[in-house]
């Protein structure tokens, strides 16, 4: 096991004090009726009998609020798979948090949505896997998902929740990005999150079927730029680009351990959703330690804070406080080393290799998908 950085420092050796997290992702379950081939959950899913109870979540939400967290994103898996979801939501509301429900819209009836409204959901984020029934049902691995999602979106509008659409894009649906944005407008969304598939976890198993081409990446950038101008003041567009074709990497999580944290269904506290792909890293659990202590003092959160941990060329680069060396999980996936400069960066010694592999995957003649499935008994 490699050493983790117990005290974060800058390049001059000065200690760095962590900021306060604004938001917490609460993954209340890994169970899900969909089987998306790019799911951000880990390949090893948590079983139902290991999930935190609603009372456990209540304690975590209070600790989060004490720490400075303002909003909680209640997610999964599909959070609707938890029969006690309304109790979980009520506990988040009691802790004074703004509650965003991130859902596929499958498995939550109108009556349940009204119950969740009464329990304290402030905002709904609905995922879309495509712009037509055939694409949405094929990508989600769930026949009938499109019709259910459109019905759910209507209830969201009737009840009056503010709505965000989450559209995950990849080689098989990027051509339809303008239609996705138009659909979000029709559904009355105030925000659309256009997120290109990130290739770790399940998505890494599907690189050859999902990797966008360089032309698609340029097309998506142009579509997003145009739409941002056209929709200014009406709908916000957040965009996670296809960074395998970019010059510089994204500032993943706004910097490791700087503004957000994730709590997994079993209470494991993670600096990002894919952190468990870093095999040598050890994570603490809210069953054993206060969330604030984990945020401030744990080795996992301190591992990539500050700049002292950075390798060259990041140390000498002007962008080290802009993109923080890129995504640690992507460095792990592509370089086999979470401490490396994110290899999608054009200054990384591995960049040419990464681009060549991305081009080769983008040109692969396959649309076959490996779906995310829970094992029997989960
Ligand atoms: Fe970012 Fe490091 Fe690349 Fe500079 S060298 S742009 S800091 S990843
Ligand atoms: Fe883990 Fe980017 S997904 S740091």
């Amino acid at each position: 096991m490699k050493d983790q950085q117990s005290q974060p420092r800058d390049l001059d050796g000065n200690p760095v004090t962590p900021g306060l997290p604004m938001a917490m992702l609460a993954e209340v379950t890994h169970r899900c009726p969909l089987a998306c081939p790019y799911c951000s959950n880990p390949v090893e899913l948590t079983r139902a009998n290991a999930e935190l109870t609603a009372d456990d979540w209540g304690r975590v939400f209070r600790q989060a609020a004490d720490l400075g967290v303002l909003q909680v994103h209640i997610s999964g898996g599909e959070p609707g798979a938890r029969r006690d979801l309304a109790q979980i939501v009520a506990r988040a509301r009691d802790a004074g948090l703004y509650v965003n429900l991130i859902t596929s819209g499958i498995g939550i009836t109108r009556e349940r949505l009204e119950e969740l409204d009464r329990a304290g959901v402030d905002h709904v984020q609905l995922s879309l896997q495509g712009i037509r029934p055939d694409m949405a049902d094929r990508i989600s691995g769930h026949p009938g998902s499109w019709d259910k999602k459109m019905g759910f979106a209507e209830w969201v509008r009737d009840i009056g929740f503010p709505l965000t659409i989450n559209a995950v894009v990849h080689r098989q649906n990027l051509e339809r990005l303008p239609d996705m944005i138009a659909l979000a407008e029709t559904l009355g969304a105030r925000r659309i999150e256009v997120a290109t598939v990130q290739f770790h976890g399940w998505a890494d198993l599907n690189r050859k079927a999902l990797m966008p081409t360089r032309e698609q990446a340029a097309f998506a950038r142009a579509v997003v730029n145009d739409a941002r101008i056209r929709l200014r003041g009406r709908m916000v567009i957040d965009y996670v680009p296809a960074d395998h074709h970019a010059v510089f990497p994204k500032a993943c999580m706004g910097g490791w351990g700087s503004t957000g944290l994730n709590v997994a269904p079993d209470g494991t506290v993670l600096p990002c959703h894919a952190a468990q792909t870093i095999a040598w890293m050890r994570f603490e659990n809210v069953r054993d330690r206060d969330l604030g202590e984990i945020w401030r003092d744990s080795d996992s959160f301190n591992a990539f804070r500050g700049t002292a941990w950075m390798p060259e060329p990041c140390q000498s680069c002007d962008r080290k406080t802009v993109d923080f060396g890129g995504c640690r999980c992507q460095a792990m996936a592509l370089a086999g080393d979470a401490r490396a400069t994110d290899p999608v960066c054009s200054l990384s010694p591995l960049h040419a290799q990464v681009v060549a592999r991305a081009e080769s995957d983008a040109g692969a003649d396959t649309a076959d998908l490996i779906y995310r499935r829970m094992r029997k008994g989960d």
Side-chain angles (χ1 to χ4, degrees):
M1 173 175 149
K2 296 190 188 179
D3 285 344
Q4 300 187 48
Q5 180 186 4
S6 54
Q7 168 67 65
R9 295 187 181 273
D10 65 18
L11 286 174
D12 298 323
N14 302 312
V16 171
T17 309
L20 297 177
M22 295 272 293
M24 180 175 100
L25 183 75
E27 291 178 340
V28 296
T29 182
H30 280 159
R31 288 173 284 148
C32 185
L34 303 190
C36 304
Y38 44 70
C39 179
S40 63
N41 289 159
V43 174
E44 273 304 311
L45 297 164
T46 298
R47 287 168 176 267
N49 61 11
E51 291 170 359
L52 296 182
T53 64
D55 284 340
D56 291 334
W57 279 112
R59 184 169 40 83
V60 176
F61 294 145
R62 288 192 299 279
Q63 292 175 1
D66 288 346
L67 174 60
V69 168
L70 300 175
Q71 52 180 299
V72 60
H73 305 290
I74 296 186
S75 173
E78 168 48 55
R82 291 274 310 229
R83 294 223 172 88
D84 56 355
L85 180 59
Q87 280 111 286
I88 294 173
V89 167
R91 282 159 177 75
R93 167 56 72 89
D94 287 347
L97 300 174
Y98 181 90
V99 181
N100 177 28
L101 178 68
I102 301 181
T103 176
S104 65
I106 311 290
I108 298 184
T109 60
R110 181 173 181 132
E111 290 66 36
R112 267 191 98 193
L113 193 58
E114 286 167 351
E115 184 192 12
L116 292 169
D117 181 30
R118 290 191 296 276
V121 169
D122 293 293
H123 179 282
V124 173
Q125 181 166 329
L126 174 64
S127 62
L128 292 185
Q129 282 74 26
I131 192 68
R132 296 183 318 251
D134 54 343
M135 174 62 83
D137 293 358
R138 194 175 82 77
I139 295 290
S140 66
H142 186 94
S145 71
W146 170 262
D147 291 341
K148 290 178 190 164
K149 280 168 184 280
M150 291 302 105
F152 182 85
E154 246 179 74
W155 304 333
V156 166
R157 192 167 38 192
D158 290 351
I159 296 171
F161 288 111
L163 173 69
T164 291
I165 291 295
N166 171 248
V168 179
V169 291
H170 43 78
R171 191 167 81 240
Q172 298 192 29
N173 67 4
L174 254 169
E175 263 74 30
R176 305 303 299 268
L177 179 55
D179 300 326
M180 283 187 203
I181 295 172
L183 176 65
E185 281 183 81
T186 308
L187 295 176
R190 297 187 189 174
R191 186 169 151 263
I192 180 170
E193 200 176 274
V194 178
T196 310
V197 164
Q198 300 297 297
F199 290 97
H200 17 77
W202 291 91
D204 197 46
L205 305 174
N206 286 293
R207 286 176 58 100
K208 289 189 186 309
L210 298 177
M211 180 67 73
T213 64
R214 181 174 290 277
E215 294 71 30
Q216 284 181 317
F219 170 74
R221 202 166 42 241
V223 168
V224 167
N225 287 344
D226 287 354
R228 277 180 173 156
I229 294 168
R230 185 172 61 79
L231 296 169
R232 185 168 292 148
R234 281 192 286 148
M235 188 166 80
V236 173
I237 304 183
D238 288 338
Y239 179 45
V240 181
D243 61 358
H244 281 65
H245 300 293
V247 178
F248 297 120
K250 61 185 178 295
C252 197
M253 296 297 292
W256 184 274
S258 68
T259 56
L261 74 166
N262 294 9
V263 181
D266 66 352
T268 305
V269 187
L270 304 170
C272 70
H273 61 267
Q276 284 165 310
T277 59
I278 303 174
W280 53 265
M281 193 166 270
R282 296 289 168 261
F283 302 98
E284 302 200 36
N285 193 297
V286 288
R287 295 185 202 269
D288 309 320
R289 201 176 180 195
D290 176 88
L291 191 70
E293 287 178 24
I294 296 174
W295 171 264
R296 284 185 294 271
D297 303 329
S298 68
D299 289 344
S300 56
F301 275 82
N302 281 333
F304 303 119
R305 283 176 170 149
T307 45
W309 65 270
M310 287 183 174
E312 289 292 359
C314 297
Q315 283 205 2
S316 322
C317 178
D318 286 348
R319 289 182 57 87
K320 62 177 168 291
T321 51
V322 176
D323 62 33
F324 315 103
C327 172
R328 296 305 86 222
C329 302
Q330 190 150 266
M332 186 72 218
L334 297 177
D337 179 3
R339 293 176 187 276
T341 296
D342 186 336
V344 305
C345 176
S346 54
L347 302 173
S348 159
L350 295 174
H351 181 69
Q353 210 175 304
V354 163
V355 170
R357 188 173 165 216
E359 301 278 359
S360 155
D361 290 337
D365 184 22
T366 178
D368 295 347
L369 300 169
I370 300 166
Y371 290 99
R372 173 246 211 231
R373 300 271 183 214
M374 298 208 87
R375 298 157 301 180
K376 258 202 159 80
D378 281 332

